[in-house]
């Protein structure tokens, strides 16, 4: 039904307690290969805000405070009950 309307759908199942680099690469690939506009969603917008934070900071080159402010409109992973999982996921990679 979506394809009939010219809408491409890409499902990227990200376990909330186990996000990893493969998920981020899948997100990046899907986001960059789709024709705009792109709608990205998750149930609480927490995962998507973390993914866009990394994408904005690491791929688009957005300054960290601006990227973080956008993410924190929805969620602050490091100050949540899930900091042990999501803190390392959003941390800059060395």
């Amino acid at each position: 039904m979506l394809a009939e309307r010219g809408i491409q759908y890409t499902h990227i199942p990200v376990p909330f307690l186990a996000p990893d680099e493969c998920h981020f690469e899948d997100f990046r690939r899907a986001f960059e290969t789709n024709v705009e506009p792109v709608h990205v969603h998750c149930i609480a917008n927490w995962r998507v805000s973390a993914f866009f934070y990394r994408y904005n900071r690491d791929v688009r080159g957005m300054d960290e405070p601006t990227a973080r402010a956008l993410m924190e409109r929805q969620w602050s992973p490091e100050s949540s009950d899930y900091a042990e999982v999501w803190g390392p996921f959003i941390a800059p990679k060395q």
Side-chain angles (χ1 to χ4, degrees):
M1 180 182 254
L2 292 173
E4 294 170 3
R5 291 182 160 68
I7 300 170
Q8 183 176 348
Y9 179 80
T10 304
H11 178 70
I12 304 170
V14 179
F16 190 77
L17 296 178
D20 65 30
E21 291 308 303
C22 294
H23 300 120
F24 182 72
E25 288 306 315
D26 288 346
F27 165 81
R28 181 178 176 169
R29 191 175 315 105
F31 188 70
E32 291 176 349
T33 60
N34 282 306
V35 177
E36 291 188 18
V38 175
H39 174 75
V40 182
H41 72 93
C42 70
I43 215 161
N45 287 329
W46 291 359
R47 283 172 284 211
V48 75
S49 64
F51 276 72
F52 267 111
Y53 167 67
R54 283 190 55 185
Y55 188 81
N56 286 334
R57 181 193 68 204
D58 300 341
V59 179
R60 288 184 169 161
M62 184 181 288
D63 65 280
E64 200 282 334
T66 302
R68 181 166 291 273
L70 288 171
M71 174 181 66
E72 289 184 349
R73 287 181 185 175
Q74 297 298 321
W75 186 42
S76 180
E78 292 124 332
S79 62
S80 76
D81 292 340
Y82 307 102
E84 288 182 24
V85 173
W86 287 92
F89 180 79
I90 66 168
K93 304 305 176 218
Q94 309 268 337

